[in-house]
Amino acid sequence: MANNRTFTMVKPDAVAANNEGNILGDISKAGFRIVAMKKTQLTVADAKKFYEIHAERPFYGELVEFMSSGPIVAAVLEKDNAVEDFRKLIGATNPAEAAEGTIRAKYAKSIGENAVHGSDSDENAAIEIAFHFSGRELF
Ligand code: UDP
Ligand code: MG
């Protein structure tokens, strides 16, 4: 099961631009099944904890501020090879470097406000899913 699930967030920039439906449509068309989903807003403390791994990076403060600035859509996605295939679907962190047709190429504004999150490993996917959802919310 582990390598069949990943975690995503439609970030505040994309929700504010009313692109959550378009992005979820692209995700469904790419063959991912939605296991869990909710619209929510991270507190500053939530964003600090979620991105703890980046605490020493120069962009951490800005990232925490941005990620707690407005509502997000958090979701758990299922597909064979989910983590790797989803990273391909979203494209590079910097939309200027993201391949054509990827979600970040289509919807991201900048390297910081880049429309979506995608887990980078099966291990982190499991941690991130547990951060946002209880077992009873996974279908
Ligand atoms: N980020 C940023 N500036 C950078 C690199 C990253 O603001 O120079 C933000 C961006 O929102 C990115 C997040 O920090 O999505 C996490 O960075 P990571 O390197 O993990 O990129 P990702 O895995 O999201 O592609
Ligand atoms: Mg990352």
Side-chain angles (χ1 to χ4, degrees):
M1 185 61 95
N3 67 350
N4 287 346
R5 284 186 178 181
T6 191
F7 172 76
T8 188
M9 292 180 282
V10 179
K11 295 186 177 183
D13 60 313
V15 172
N18 200 24
N19 276 325
E20 65 208 75
N22 293 324
I23 290 171
L24 289 163
D26 284 3
I27 290 170
S28 292
K29 276 182 214 139
F32 291 87
R33 190 180 75 78
I34 296 171
V35 173
M37 181 164 65
K38 66 180 148 198
K39 194 167 194 174
T40 183
Q41 183 162 353
L42 300 177
T43 64
V44 168
D46 290 335
K48 279 186 179 166
K49 178 98 181 106
F50 186 86
Y51 283 109
E52 208 165 37
I53 192 168
H54 294 308
E56 302 308 319
R57 309 275 290 273
F59 57 81
Y60 182 63
E62 233 178 299
L63 175 61
V64 166
E65 192 185 335
F66 164 60
M67 286 304 297
S68 58
S69 68
I72 60 159
V73 177
V76 178
L77 305 173
E78 193 168 81
K79 182 184 182 298
D80 285 348
N81 204 33
V83 166
E84 199 186 328
D85 286 1
F86 192 69
R87 294 292 303 202
K88 272 191 208 141
L89 179 66
I90 68 178
T93 308
N94 184 350
E97 291 162 15
E100 202 188 327
T102 60
I103 290 175
R104 282 170 168 166
K106 287 166 77 174
Y107 305 109
K109 288 187 182 162
S110 66
I111 191 169
E113 303 198 5
N114 60 2
V116 280
H117 169 81
S119 306
D120 63 6
S121 65
D122 290 342
E123 187 192 358
N124 284 333
I127 292 167
E128 293 171 359
I129 289 166
F131 184 90
H132 285 272
F133 294 98
S134 75
R136 289 181 53 238
E137 295 174 298
L138 305 174
F139 297 94

